[in-house]
């Protein structure tokens, strides 16, 4: 649906926090596991357990960004091209930060 922008930002932040939480709990960033306690039925009667892990949460972030761009009529490809062109020429700035 058409969500307001503050809600979209909060939902994106939530997905980032879930990815960080999985890592903080000791899971590798590439690890994916299935939670058999939570499942959905696929249209043919099969139960699908919920996938969990950093890659799954990163996928959720991409899905939320895609939905936001669609809802708000944002040309994300043009924005990414513009940002990548700028980044190609700017000095490196983000070294040395720690979690």
């Amino acid at each position: 649906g058409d969500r307001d922008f503050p809600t979209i930002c909060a939902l994106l932040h939530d997905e980032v926090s879930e990815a960080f939480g999985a890592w903080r709990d000791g899971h590798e960033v590439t690890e994916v596991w299935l939670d058999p306690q939570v499942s959905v039925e696929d249209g043919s009667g099969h139960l699908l357990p919920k996938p969990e892990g950093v890659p799954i949460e990163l996928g959720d972030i991409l899905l939320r960004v895609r939905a936001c761009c669609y809802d708000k009529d944002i040309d994300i490809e043009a924005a990414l091209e513009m940002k990548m062109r700028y980044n190609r020429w700017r000095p490196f700035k983000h070294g040395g930060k720690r979690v």
Side-chain angles (χ1 to χ4, degrees):
D2 189 25
R3 293 192 165 127
D4 61 38
F5 190 66
T7 299
I8 292 167
C9 289
L11 291 169
L12 284 167
H13 186 275
D14 187 51
E15 299 297 350
V16 171
S17 295
E18 289 178 5
F20 182 68
W23 174 82
R24 187 180 50 214
D25 289 344
H27 297 283
E28 296 293 326
V29 296
T30 57
E31 184 181 355
V32 174
W33 65 95
L34 301 176
D35 181 353
Q37 302 295 329
V38 182
S39 61
V40 295
E41 192 175 316
D42 70 0
S44 64
H46 295 97
L47 290 179
L48 301 173
K50 182 181 180 193
E52 298 281 1
V54 173
I56 302 304
E57 301 308 332
L58 295 177
D60 283 344
I61 292 165
L62 293 176
L63 291 171
R64 290 201 181 277
V65 167
R66 181 176 165 222
C68 172
C69 293
Y70 179 80
D71 287 347
K72 305 300 180 197
D73 199 27
I74 295 169
D75 184 347
I76 194 65
E77 288 182 24
L80 285 170
E81 287 174 18
M82 188 181 299
K83 182 61 175 165
M84 289 178 2
R85 180 177 166 81
Y86 174 80
N87 284 354
R88 192 175 310 129
W89 300 105
R90 75 173 193 169
F92 184 77
K93 296 181 178 182
H94 300 291
K97 293 184 180 178
R98 301 182 74 183
V99 177

